[in-house]
């Protein structure tokens, strides 16, 4: 099994920034890694994804222009730079990884495509 560890969550004011990171516990080919989030009382939703070898980067409409996803393939680590944060961005953010490259080819970010999940890191944005 692969363990994913998220770091970087915290509390910021509206308009602030945070950078999340997610690292795999061991070397393994993870062709698609992404971020999801879940706010209290809401369903988990896809935020962004980044392919390792090939595929299509995805960023949800709700965060386009504000969030940037990147990846360090050598470290098997994916990052999420969050800028211009809003109160509605408050949620538990989860890192996820898929073993199939098709997960990063799809036109949508479907959580069922991801096998490995981190425990989450909390992001709180105060108005």
């Amino acid at each position: 099994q692969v363990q994913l560890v998220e770091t970087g969550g915290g509390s910021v004011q509206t308009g602030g920034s945070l950078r999340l990171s997610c690292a795999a516990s061991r070397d393994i080919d993870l062709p698609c890694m992404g971020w999801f989030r879940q706010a209290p009382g809401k369903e988990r939703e896809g935020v962004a994804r980044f392919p390792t070898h090939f595929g299509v980067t995805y960023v949800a409409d709700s965060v386009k222009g504000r969030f940037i996803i990147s990846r360090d393939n050598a470290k098997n680590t994916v990052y999420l730079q969050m800028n211009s944060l809003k109160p509605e961005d408050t949620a538990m953010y989860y890192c996820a990884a898929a073993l199939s490259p098709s997960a990063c080819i799809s036109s949508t970010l479907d959580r069922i495509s991801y096998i490995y999940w981190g425990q989450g890191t909390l992001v709180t944005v105060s108005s």
Side-chain angles (χ1 to χ4, degrees):
Q1 295 294 313
V2 176
Q3 183 179 15
L4 303 178
V5 181
E6 307 102 329
T7 59
S11 180
V12 298
Q13 297 291 320
T14 297
S17 299
L18 286 172
R19 189 192 190 213
L20 308 183
S21 64
C22 171
S25 61
R26 62 185 178 89
D27 290 334
I28 187 174
D29 185 34
L30 298 172
C32 190
M33 298 182 70
W35 291 93
F36 293 76
R37 68 183 183 183
Q38 187 168 20
K42 297 183 178 181
E43 294 185 2
R44 190 169 300 185
E45 63 177 351
V47 177
R49 73 179 185 217
F50 200 97
T52 302
H53 308 295
F54 62 91
V56 180
T57 301
Y58 172 94
V59 181
D61 289 341
S62 60
V63 301
K64 280 184 178 179
R66 299 188 297 118
F67 289 13
I68 302 171
I69 188 168
S70 61
R71 185 170 179 175
D72 185 338
N73 291 337
K75 297 181 179 180
N76 240 6
T77 301
V78 66
Y79 306 93
L80 186 67
Q81 178 66 46
M82 305 184 294
N83 301 315
S84 301
L85 285 163
K86 305 175 181 179
E88 50 262 45
D89 293 319
T90 296
M92 185 72 74
Y93 283 72
Y94 298 91
C95 176
L99 291 177
S100 173
S102 63
C104 269
I105 299 176
S106 174
S107 60
T108 60
L109 188 57
D110 300 319
R111 59 182 181 272
I112 61 174
S113 299
Y114 295 82
I115 299 175
Y116 302 110
W117 292 82
Q119 294 301 306
T121 184
L122 182 63
V123 172
T124 302
V125 184
S126 301
S127 60

